[in-house]
Amino acid sequence: MAVWRKSSYSPVNDCVEVGRGVGIRDSKAPAMHLPVSDKAWSAFLTDIKSR
């Protein structure tokens, strides 16, 4: 089972969550998630940090 972490930038009731090796999901619809590979997530974080 994945461990989901909530974004510190999301309001209390409207959260974006990240599951390592799993993907991202909306806390209001936890049964569904968007799969994201480790490689794609790393590329995303690298891009965000470079801005």
Side-chain angles (χ1 to χ4, degrees), residues 14-36:
D14 298 320
C15 298
V16 173
E17 298 177 321
V18 176
R20 184 178 179 100
V22 180
I24 57 176
R25 72 180 183 182
D26 182 342
S27 62
K28 294 181 288 185
M32 299 185 313
H33 70 276
L34 176 65
V36 179

Side-chain angles (χ1 to χ4, degrees), residues 1 16 23 41 43 48:
M1 175 170 270
V16 173
W41 186 251
I48 295 299

